[in-house]
Amino acid sequence: MGDENVFRIPEMIKGKSSSRRNSISAVFDLPVFRKRKRIKGDGDDVSIGSIQSLDTAGMKKKSKRSLLRVSSLVNLLSPSNKRPSSFKVPNTPCLRQNLSPYKAPTPSPAKRRLTRTWSDMMATGGTFPSLNSKDLKRQEAIFELYQGEVDLIEDLNNVQNTYHNSMRKLQLMSEGELMQIFGPISSLIPVHEDLVLQLQFQRQPDGTTHGIGRQVLEWIPKLEDYVSFCANQVFGKALLDEKKCDPAVDDFLERCQESPFSRKLDLWSLLDGARGRFVKYPLLIKNILKYTSKTHEDAAYLEEAILVAEHLVAQADKRTGEAKCRYYRARITFLYDDQNHDDLDDSTSLICSGVLKNNKGSKLHVFLFDKIVVVTRLSSHNGNRSYQVYRQPIPVSELVAEDLLDAEIKMGSFRNAFSQSQTSKNVFRVSFKDSIKGQAHTLIANDEHDKRQWLQCLRQVTEVIPVVSHSHSDKRAA
């Protein structure tokens, strides 16, 4: 009896209930409730124990509708994770067709660098000073030097912080590999920041700059770090190309290139941009001197600064040639032992190299060292690039270089034998003085500018390059 009282349903007082209902029904039209017949055996007291102890025979007397209601109530109160059937969304074919597949977000627009001139700066700054044409061009030349430094500092900071420091933090490369690729880049940024501060300090309140010659002359020697930076680039570029085979490194570089800060430039373009800026300093200073009066105090300083800059660029070119010589010599292979020459081992500088075509249309990689010319074919074995010697190398002491006239050399491939287009342009030839020692090479440059560069480099080692006609060249063609 004690257990039954715990779950006892409170009894309703008939008097109060009926009187309350009557008073409410007088105002509202309430439905009439009828008493349900009690099943025999039911009492006023209902407990969990009594429900569990119901006889199965009594349960059979209930209708199917009552069983469904109890089942739905149990499912609703059950802590199970099953969703009610009324909330299920049918997988109709029309809904599936309306779902569009996932698409990667469109890349952000590249950050564009606007070209600013001194006139643009003054137009936004207020009053424009009255200057003659020569003085105006001088101010433009000085501002070109200044703005180029600002842009270069931005690029170098991007390379240092976004590429170098991030790859170190992500452990994509070792310290030695980072040093080989980036070189002394951390020491270059303060050098350019120093020049920017000096140029800003020399600028007058009206926006003009009177004198910068002494400041530039004192600053130019600080560019000496670029000598080692340029000499290191050949090894840095080779290692960077090798590291791109690592999926993690390649993914990182690709993400950086697609980001707005890179202006769609890859890492090597940013690094090589610093070298390109360095070799332009003699021209930038000459441009300022061009519009500087000879009686101006800057004239003597600028002339001396040009000499110092040219000396540093020449020193960097020499060191770069030596580095390239070591790099490419180690990657030249020989099909036959007699192709190896002592002059190749004794060479200390690479004067010129590049891809040219022969008169059959085959691509050849040609190296002009300070002591020998080597014509090779590019080959790759297990991912390692090498240059296989094609025919006999030509020592500079036995070299003859000939500038051939356009439209006089016939293409010798079978494919072009029956074609009307059988001549070529931008052609020159390298051969032995004694034709018995080896075969000649008829080489085709990419364009006229490329041909002039090759002839200029060949002139450095041979001093004289004759221009020959087709009648002479046919006898010596390879």
Side-chain angles (χ1 to χ4, degrees):
M1 293 295 294
D3 294 337
E4 293 178 358
N5 293 332
V6 176
F7 298 97
R8 184 181 298 277
I9 299 176
E11 296 179 358
M12 302 296 293
I13 301 175
K14 294 182 179 180
K16 292 183 179 180
S17 175
S18 60
S19 60
R20 180 179 300 176
R21 178 177 180 82
N22 294 333
S23 61
I24 295 174
S25 61
V27 181
F28 301 94
D29 187 13
L30 297 177
V32 178
F33 296 141
R34 296 178 182 179
K35 285 187 178 181
R36 183 176 61 87
K37 287 185 179 182
R38 293 182 179 227
I39 301 173
K40 188 176 180 181
D42 289 349
D44 293 334
D45 299 335
V46 181
S47 64
I48 294 178
S50 61
I51 293 174
Q52 293 178 349
S53 62
L54 289 176
D55 188 43
T56 57
M59 293 294 293
K60 291 180 180 179
K61 295 180 181 181
K62 293 186 176 181
S63 64
K64 294 182 179 181
R65 185 177 180 182
S66 300
L67 289 173
L68 291 174
R69 288 181 179 178
V70 173
S71 177
S72 63
L73 180 63
V74 172
N75 291 334
L76 181 64
L77 300 179
S78 174
S80 65
N81 294 327
K82 295 182 179 180
R83 294 179 60 187
S85 60
S86 59
F87 291 97
K88 290 183 179 180
V89 179
N91 295 324
T92 57
C94 61
L95 291 178
R96 293 181 180 177
Q97 292 176 359
N98 293 333
L99 294 176
S100 58
Y102 172 76
K103 293 181 180 180
T106 57
S108 303
K111 181 180 178 182
R112 295 184 178 181
R113 176 169 289 166
L114 300 178
T115 303
R116 291 187 64 197
T117 63
W118 182 79
S119 300
D120 295 335
M121 182 195 69
M122 295 304 300
T124 58
T127 60
F128 197 90
S130 58
L131 300 171
N132 58 37
S133 177
K134 187 175 182 179
D135 290 338
L136 180 60
K137 290 180 180 179
R138 183 173 186 272
Q139 296 301 321
E140 295 286 4
I142 294 174
F143 187 79
E144 182 184 2
L145 176 64
Y146 166 81
Q147 190 61 41
E149 295 299 298
V150 174
D151 294 341
L152 181 59
I153 291 171
E154 180 184 356
D155 287 343
L156 291 178
N157 278 321
N158 264 339
V159 171
Q160 176 73 15
N161 299 326
T162 306
Y163 289 91
H164 180 277
N165 294 348
S166 297
M167 285 196 281
R168 172 192 286 172
K169 187 174 182 179
L170 296 172
Q171 297 182 353
L172 296 177
M173 296 186 189
S174 65
E175 287 293 333
E177 291 172 336
L178 291 173
M179 185 61 192
Q180 182 170 333
I181 292 175
F182 293 92
I185 189 172
S186 58
S187 63
L188 300 179
I189 298 175
V191 171
H192 298 285
E193 290 175 339
D194 182 30
L195 180 59
V196 168
L197 291 176
Q198 292 192 48
L199 294 177
Q200 289 176 344
F201 183 77
Q202 293 301 116
R203 187 177 298 166
Q204 302 297 318
D206 63 352
T208 60
T209 303
H210 179 66
I212 61 167
R214 182 173 58 84
Q215 289 77 13
V216 171
L217 177 60
E218 293 175 353
W219 175 81
I220 281 292
K222 296 181 181 179
L223 294 174
E224 190 173 0
D225 286 341
Y226 270 97
V227 176
S228 58
F229 178 80
C230 295
N232 179 71
Q233 278 197 309
V234 61
F235 300 102
K237 179 66 165 59
L239 179 60
L240 181 61
D241 292 340
E242 180 182 339
K243 295 297 291 184
K244 285 181 181 178
C245 297
D246 184 348
V249 175
D250 185 63
D251 179 71
F252 173 81
L253 295 176
E254 185 177 354
R255 288 174 184 269
C256 289
Q257 186 173 350
E258 292 298 324
S259 300
F261 66 84
S262 68
R263 308 194 312 280
K264 301 299 181 182
L265 299 176
D266 60 2
L267 172 58
W268 190 251
S269 297
L270 295 172
L271 284 171
D272 195 55
R275 181 203 60 81
R277 174 73 179 179
F278 164 69
V279 300
K280 283 177 62 178
Y281 281 113
L283 297 177
L284 292 170
I285 302 174
K286 284 181 180 179
N287 195 32
I288 299 174
L289 180 61
K290 179 180 178 181
Y291 301 109
T292 302
S293 175
K294 294 182 180 180
T295 59
H296 198 286
E297 61 180 358
D298 272 1
Y301 291 125
L302 293 175
E303 289 177 355
E304 189 174 353
I306 292 171
L307 296 177
V308 177
E310 288 177 340
H311 173 73
L312 290 174
V313 172
Q315 191 175 358
D317 287 343
K318 181 181 178 182
R319 289 279 302 276
T320 302
E322 293 172 354
K324 288 182 177 180
C325 181
R326 295 194 303 271
Y327 175 80
Y328 287 112
R329 276 193 319 178
R331 284 158 179 79
I332 291 178
T333 59
F334 304 92
L335 279 176
Y336 309 101
D337 292 338
D338 60 349
Q339 291 178 329
N340 197 353
H341 201 284
D342 293 339
D343 286 346
L344 179 59
D345 297 330
D346 296 337
S347 296
T348 59
S349 179
L350 179 65
I351 298 175
C352 187
S353 69
V355 178
L356 301 170
K357 290 183 179 180
N358 61 8
N359 59 341
K360 295 181 180 180
S362 301
K363 288 185 177 180
L364 302 173
H365 204 111
V366 183
F367 299 95
L368 174 59
F369 295 97
D370 57 336
K371 293 187 176 181
I372 196 170
V373 175
V374 184
V375 180
T376 67
R377 285 176 170 170
L378 183 63
S379 63
S380 180
H381 181 67
N382 295 331
N384 297 322
R385 178 179 294 184
S386 62
Y387 302 92
Q388 192 176 81
V389 173
Y390 176 66
R391 298 180 179 173
Q392 198 72 16
I394 307 174
V396 169
S397 58
E398 303 177 21
L399 175 64
V400 175
E402 300 169 315
D403 181 7
L404 304 181
L405 298 177
D406 290 344
E408 290 194 353
I409 300 301
K410 292 184 178 181
M411 303 299 290
S413 65
F414 179 79
R415 181 185 60 184
N416 296 324
F418 302 98
S419 174
Q420 294 180 356
S421 177
Q422 297 180 3
T423 59
S424 182
K425 297 182 179 181
N426 308 314
V427 186
F428 63 96
R429 179 183 290 113
V430 291
S431 59
F432 288 87
K433 292 179 180 179
D434 187 355
S435 59
I436 300 177
K437 293 185 177 180
Q439 292 178 296
H441 298 277
T442 301
L443 303 172
I444 304 171
N446 296 326
D447 49 41
E448 186 179 355
H449 175 71
D450 190 24
K451 176 183 176 180
R452 285 200 305 265
Q453 282 191 320
W454 274 100
L455 294 177
Q456 183 179 356
C457 293
L458 290 168
R459 189 173 286 110
Q460 287 181 305
V461 295
T462 60
E463 296 183 357
V464 178
I465 298 180
V467 178
V468 298
S469 64
H470 178 59
S471 58
H472 290 286
S473 61
D474 279 344
K475 298 177 182 180
R476 306 178 63 178

